[in-house]
Amino acid sequence: MARFGVEDIDALIGRGAGDTGALREIRRALERGEAVSASEQEYVLRLMAAHMGPGPRAPPPPARASPQEEPAPRGGLHAALGIARRRVAKRPSRRTVAIAAVAVAAIVSVAISVQGIGTGAPAAPPAAALVTDRQSYSQGDVVVISGRAEPGATVALSIVGPGGPVWNGTAVARADGAYSAMQFAGGSGWVEGAEHSAVASGAGVNASAAFTYGAAP
């Protein structure tokens, strides 16, 4: 079980600490009661130690919304359309219908853009592919690995350098089949200026993704 909760993730996001997209993925896993990998837990705990310090932790105060505004939709395109319909139902006037139509068009445009661009963390790849969030890393950077497998399956992960594995871990695929893990770049076995690979195996998965570490010598 993770040694932190949703409120801790919210506090980190509110402070602008770490990778917002990755933290949101971990937050969603906590809300669904899904497993959070050991590397993800270590990542969050390091951020908490660096940005929150000892003592009780509290989430940042919620943003104030206008009395006539509803919170931004968080359930995707269908939820956004549903909120727009409810706005029309509350005050069914021609002016409200026109405003709602403009709102729906804007929401659809934003939703499509977000789905295409992403939220900071790498989009879950199709099938059993494996990706890293970047193609190169320096000492201390966070390597975010993500992929897909059968829901509930445990995938063996590793980072392999020129001399062999420099990190090994596991990740459990969530309800939608997506899994992810994080590890800090650098340390024993990492070779400056060399190509390294993230590798996933087991549970019907056999994939890898190459990236470079550090500057070329």
Side-chain angles (χ1 to χ4, degrees):
M1 180 179 293
R3 289 174 287 171
F4 49 83
V6 170
E7 65 277 4
D8 297 310
I9 301 295
D10 288 339
L12 289 173
I13 294 174
R15 288 167 170 77
D19 186 299
T20 300
L23 289 173
R24 285 175 177 166
E25 286 296 322
I26 297 173
R27 188 186 192 282
R28 279 193 284 270
L30 291 173
E31 288 180 324
R32 297 170 182 168
E34 298 172 344
V36 178
S37 70
S39 61
E40 290 173 323
Q41 293 188 46
E42 180 186 0
Y43 175 62
V44 173
L45 291 173
R46 288 197 186 189
L47 287 177
M48 288 168 60
H51 295 275
M52 296 166 64
R57 297 180 294 274
R64 296 181 179 178
S66 170
Q68 296 182 353
E69 294 180 350
E70 294 186 53
R74 307 186 78 168
L77 182 57
H78 293 295
L81 293 174
I83 289 176
R85 294 191 191 102
R86 287 198 295 273
R87 288 176 176 169
V88 174
K90 287 180 181 177
R91 292 182 292 176
S93 65
R94 290 185 177 179
R95 181 173 180 273
T96 304
V97 170
I99 293 174
V102 174
V104 169
I107 291 169
V108 170
S109 176
V110 171
I112 292 174
S113 298
V114 169
Q115 291 174 2
I117 297 175
T119 57
L130 181 75
V131 297
T132 55
D133 62 327
R134 291 162 55 183
Q135 295 182 331
S136 64
Y137 300 90
S138 300
Q139 171 76 31
D141 288 345
V142 177
V143 182
V144 181
I145 304 169
S146 62
R148 283 194 176 278
E150 288 295 323
T154 299
V155 180
L157 299 173
S158 62
I159 295 177
V160 181
V166 297
W167 173 79
N168 293 290
T170 60
V172 177
R174 298 168 180 141
D176 61 356
Y179 65 84
S180 61
M182 303 175 191
Q183 175 62 21
F184 290 90
S188 178
W190 292 74
V191 179
E192 188 80 13
E195 183 176 274
H196 295 63
S197 295
V199 180
S201 60
V205 177
N206 184 14
S208 64
F211 61 88
T212 57
Y213 169 67

